[in-house]
């Protein structure tokens, strides 16, 4: 009985080992991760510039220097093109979410989506659109909470593992004659 248990254990170990060794290494997502790593420094820079501009306008709004319609117009001008470009660049990438680069990609996409929806909802509320949902204010509050949480998570992720700097291409040494 003891020998049979040992033999079964060895057989199970061999089966697991074979399965692990026979599983093909995923090659597709490596290329996607590298592509994302190349894009992220520029994405982070543009994202930061757009959101800093929106924050400055929010301060101007709080001080009474501008009114809500101007703030929303400026925010759409600062964030709209940035988030559209970021989404266009990052959305096609298929990066694993368990990997740090994949998490950053998903965070940027999520923040851009929430920001875009929030600005559109605020504009609709300001215009008092007839199709405005009855719970628009509650939806806006929920989007605001999602945005704050996502921004904190992004800040934590970037603090833990900074966005990679763009790599310069490495050239092969020239053959000497």
């Amino acid at each position: 009985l003891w020998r049979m248990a040992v033999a079964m254990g060895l057989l199970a170990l061999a089966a697991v080992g074979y399965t692990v060794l026979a599983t093909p290494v995923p090659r597709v997502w490596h290329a996607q991760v590298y592509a994302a790593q190349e894009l992220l420094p520029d994405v982070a820079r543009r994202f930061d510039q757009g959101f800093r501009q929106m924050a400055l306008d929010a301060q101007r709004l709080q001080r009474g220097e501008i009114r809500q319609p101007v703030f929303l117009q400026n925010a759409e001008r600062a964030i709209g093109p940035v988030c559209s470009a970021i989404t266009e660049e990052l959305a096609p990438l298929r990066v694993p979410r368990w990997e740090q680069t994949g998490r950053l990609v998903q965070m940027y996409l999520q923040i851009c989506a929430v920001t875009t929806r929030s600005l559109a909802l605020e504009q609709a509320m300001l215009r008092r659109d007839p199709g405005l949902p009855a719970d628009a204010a509650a939806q806006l509050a929920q989007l605001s909470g999602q945005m704050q949480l996502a921004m904190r998570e992004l800040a934590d992720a970037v603090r833990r593992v900074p966005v990679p700097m763009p790599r310069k291409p490495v050239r092969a040494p020239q053959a000497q004659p």
Side-chain angles (χ1 to χ4, degrees), residues 155-175:
D156 289 344
V158 170
R159 248 191 314 274
R160 276 186 268 123
V161 179
V163 172
M165 295 306 295
R167 290 181 255 152
K168 293 182 181 174
V170 178
R171 294 180 185 220
Q174 299 293 324

Side-chain angles (χ1 to χ4, degrees), residues 117-141:
R117 285 194 347 245
S118 179
L119 287 172
L121 186 57
E122 279 193 81
Q123 283 283 16
M125 290 170 69
L126 191 65
R127 290 188 308 263
R128 296 189 174 133
D129 285 354
L132 193 66
D135 66 339
Q139 286 182 25
L140 190 57

Side-chain angles (χ1 to χ4, degrees), residues 68-82:
Q68 184 75 6
V70 174
F71 167 75
L72 291 174
Q73 185 179 26
N74 290 350
E76 283 183 346
R77 262 194 241 126
I79 297 298
V82 169

Side-chain angles (χ1 to χ4, degrees), residues 21-117:
L21 292 175
T23 302
V25 175
R27 286 180 256 168
V28 175
W29 67 261
H30 289 288
Q32 298 288 308
V33 168
Y34 296 143
Q37 288 173 343
E38 289 295 319
L39 290 172
L40 281 175
D42 186 53
V43 164
R45 181 189 55 76
R46 289 180 288 142
F47 180 90
D48 189 52
Q49 286 175 341
F51 277 86
R52 282 184 192 270
Q53 182 59 50
M54 192 168 77
L56 291 173
D57 284 339
Q59 290 172 354
R60 292 178 57 210
L61 177 67
Q62 286 180 338
R63 289 191 303 260
E65 296 172 11
I66 60 174
R67 297 178 52 95
Q68 184 75 6
V70 174
F71 167 75
L72 291 174
Q73 185 179 26
N74 290 350
E76 283 183 346
R77 262 194 241 126
I79 297 298
V82 169
C83 280
S84 292
I86 287 172
T87 300
E88 187 176 309
E89 293 168 19
L90 297 182
L93 297 175
R94 298 293 172 242
V95 290
R97 291 182 184 195
W98 51 263
E99 200 274 332
Q100 182 64 26
T101 301
R103 281 194 299 274
L104 287 173
V105 165
Q106 292 306 314
M107 285 181 205
Y108 282 118
L109 289 172
Q110 178 190 9
I111 291 169
C112 280
V114 169
T115 301
T116 303
R117 285 194 347 245

